[in-house]
Amino acid sequence: MLPTASLTALLVLAVSTVAKPIVVRDSFVTLPFAKHLNVTGAYDLVQKDQARAAAYRQLSADSTVVSIGVTNAAQIYVASIGVGSPPTYYSLLIDTGSSNTWVGAGKAYVKTSTSTKTSNSVYVPYGSGQFRGTEYTDTVTLGTGLVIPKQSIGVASSSSGFSGFDGILGRRLNDNTIKGTLTPATTTTIPTVTDNLYSQGTIPTDLVAVSYEPATSASVSNGELTFGGLDSSKYTGSITYTSITTTYPASNYWGINQSILYGTTSILSSTAGIVDTGTTLTLLATNAYKKYQSATGATLDRTTGLLKITSAQYSSLKSLYFTIGGTKFELTPNAQIWPRSLNSQIGGSSGSIYLIVNDIGSNSGSGLDFINGYTFLERFYSVFDTTDGRVGLATTPYTTATTN
Ligand SMILES: *[C@@H]1O[C@H](CO)[C@@H](O)[C@H](O)[C@H]1NC(C)=O
Ligand SMILES: *[C@@H]1O[C@H](CO)[C@@H](O)[C@H](O)[C@H]1NC(C)=O
């Protein structure tokens, strides 16, 4: 069970490595959220992750239309967000691939005295879904006490692809994309929820930190998002920060440089890719994936699309070491396998052992050569820092857990 969302005022000391100063975070907001695996059949997981990777590679730097969204995700995250005063609470999907926040797909928008209609209509396509409506400004409440006045939000008049949910909370890195979704076009940059929390002084720095824990059921509420600071109870040791990569197109997202070893064998030499909560698997450039397959002796399972290993191969599986910002992050053998209790969810058989490392669909050199997805992030605490243009990672009490 999760505690209810709360506005926490804590003094958190986050000591970063590599000659960074001590950072004092004096307040942050935590938002618990639930995760659901949204796969409808065998192979769906790999297909959705690869489609998402392909969309990331295709988007251009100043693309005005966001086309990567939660509908491309095999794994979806949901939080309860208030809009209006008094707030009506909506069940919103949290999406790192898009910037617009909007309601009205399920529960209808309830107007209050804080609801102000703008002269703009809004349209956003998301892979397999879309929404269309009117842009408003309204008060948005996160958790129980954190209030953002005059947040730009969309109110859907029609939408598809979001059954069971009320809309989206977008928290993509680059907020320049909202203005391109409005008609008539506006040249003013429209701040995202996180940008507003920062510019209104509610949070001391424009960052979001994410804590996941390994899950052994398809729907689980063990995630925590913090806005503006770090929750020191969720990580161990210190945070390693690394600058957003300059390599395009990874530079458009939460892109970093990293290299990967399997045991002592090089799988991927230093290159750019992204950290993405909306991708389930850990995807590697085709050439790196093939090296991993041959090093592990795994075979491709045509039913699930995942690599499969025998018990004997599992016993001799070595750790993967991700070198990021000068620190080696160890993904243990147990962290490299799909939770066996969830094999049937992805069309697998219960006695089999599947690997979470898969093929991104193109060779290295594409500018987006890996995606460290949820299966990586459930083992490490992650910090998405817009103010300083960097990504932070740290170990957690679950880094070496044998839950899978
Ligand atoms: C879940 O997956 C289905 C099938 O791929 C898709 O149509 C739907 O939009 C997804 N739901 C969400 C909320 O992303
Ligand atoms: C990342 O790698 C690229 C290509 O090797 C290099 O140009 C860049 O300086 C590295 N660091 C960052 C922060 O982008």
Side-chain angles (χ1 to χ4, degrees):
M1 288 296 290
L2 275 167
T4 49
S6 59
L7 173 60
T8 318
L10 284 180
L11 185 69
V12 179
L13 290 181
V15 186
S16 59
T17 57
V18 242
K20 284 270 164 64
I22 291 174
V23 183
V24 180
R25 314 285 192 203
D26 56 5
S27 73
F28 62 84
V29 175
T30 67
L31 183 67
F33 60 94
K35 172 182 80 77
H36 306 283
L37 193 62
N38 183 32
V39 294
T40 49
Y43 222 79
D44 202 27
L45 175 65
V46 174
Q47 278 179 342
K48 278 187 167 165
D49 274 5
Q50 287 179 342
R52 193 172 170 92
Y56 277 136
R57 280 196 304 269
Q58 277 158 20
L59 276 192
S60 67
D62 38 41
S63 166
T64 49
V65 175
V66 185
S67 65
I68 298 161
V70 279
T71 53
N72 280 342
Q75 199 143 256
I76 55 185
Y77 305 97
V78 183
S80 181
I81 310 288
V83 179
S85 180
T88 299
Y89 281 86
Y90 300 91
S91 180
L92 300 190
L93 299 166
I94 299 169
D95 187 29
T96 48
S98 62
S99 307
N100 293 67
T101 291
W102 60 275
V103 299
K107 187 186 288 187
Y109 180 47
V110 178
K111 286 178 201 148
T112 65
S113 60
T114 55
S115 309
T116 308
K117 191 174 177 173
T118 74
S119 54
N120 298 104
S121 63
V122 55
Y123 169 68
V124 185
Y126 298 91
S128 59
Q130 54 85 29
F131 99 94
R132 183 181 295 285
T134 305
E135 197 73 6
Y136 277 70
T137 59
D138 207 338
T139 297
V140 168
T141 303
L142 299 177
T144 51
L146 185 86
V147 175
I148 308 160
K150 298 194 172 62
Q151 172 65 44
S152 187
I153 59 158
V155 173
S157 52
S158 72
S159 68
S160 61
F162 300 97
S163 63
F165 304 96
D166 301 321
I168 291 183
L169 174 85
R171 56 173 202 90
R172 185 175 164 189
L173 169 65
N174 179 351
D175 69 6
N176 274 317
T177 51
I178 299 181
K179 62 185 181 191
T181 64
L182 303 182
T183 311
T186 168
T187 50
T188 319
T189 294
I190 312 257
T192 62
V193 166
T194 319
D195 295 331
N196 268 334
L197 283 174
Y198 176 56
S199 63
Q200 292 169 3
T202 311
I203 56 175
T205 179
D206 190 353
L207 71 73
V208 175
V210 182
S211 163
Y212 294 126
E213 294 168 9
T216 49
S217 63
S219 291
V220 64
S221 303
N222 66 6
E224 183 195 84
L225 267 181
T226 66
F227 294 90
L230 312 179
D231 182 347
S232 59
S233 71
K234 298 291 187 187
Y235 65 92
T236 53
S238 56
I239 309 268
T240 295
Y241 287 102
T242 190
S243 298
I244 300 291
T245 185
T246 51
T247 304
Y248 173 83
S251 52
N252 237 0
Y253 308 98
W254 293 105
I256 59 170
N257 287 349
Q258 80 179 6
S259 61
I260 306 176
L261 297 174
Y262 172 76
T264 53
T265 307
S266 174
I267 294 289
L268 187 67
S269 45
S270 182
T271 189
I274 64 171
V275 178
D276 182 34
T277 59
T279 300
T280 306
L281 299 168
T282 293
L283 301 179
L284 305 183
T286 306
N287 49 317
Y289 162 78
K290 283 187 176 151
K291 281 189 193 165
Y292 176 75
Q293 179 177 4
S294 80
T296 56
T299 51
L300 179 63
D301 175 63
R302 303 224 170 257
T303 310
T304 57
L306 298 181
L307 291 176
K308 189 169 145 177
I309 51 172
T310 64
S311 307
Q313 286 168 332
Y314 178 48
S315 307
S316 54
L317 199 63
K318 298 190 174 80
S319 290
L320 280 171
Y321 297 94
F322 294 69
T323 300
I324 301 168
T327 300
K328 259 188 184 176
F329 291 93
E330 178 179 5
L331 197 68
T332 64
N334 189 259
Q336 289 170 54
I337 70 169
W338 181 255
R340 282 171 276 187
S341 58
L342 294 179
N343 279 359
S344 63
Q345 297 280 337
I346 53 163
S349 57
S350 57
S352 297
I353 305 175
Y354 302 102
L355 297 169
I356 53 86
V357 172
N358 212 284
D359 184 0
I360 207 169
S362 65
N363 279 324
S364 58
S366 74
L368 205 161
D369 290 343
F370 58 84
I371 298 183
N372 294 355
Y374 172 82
T375 42
F376 176 88
L377 295 171
E378 68 182 358
R379 301 296 179 142
F380 302 102
Y381 190 70
S382 51
V383 184
F384 300 91
D385 183 348
T386 302
T387 299
D388 296 323
R390 59 186 186 167
V391 172
L393 291 167
T395 53
T396 79
Y398 296 96
T399 297
T400 59
T402 52
T403 47
N404 293 340

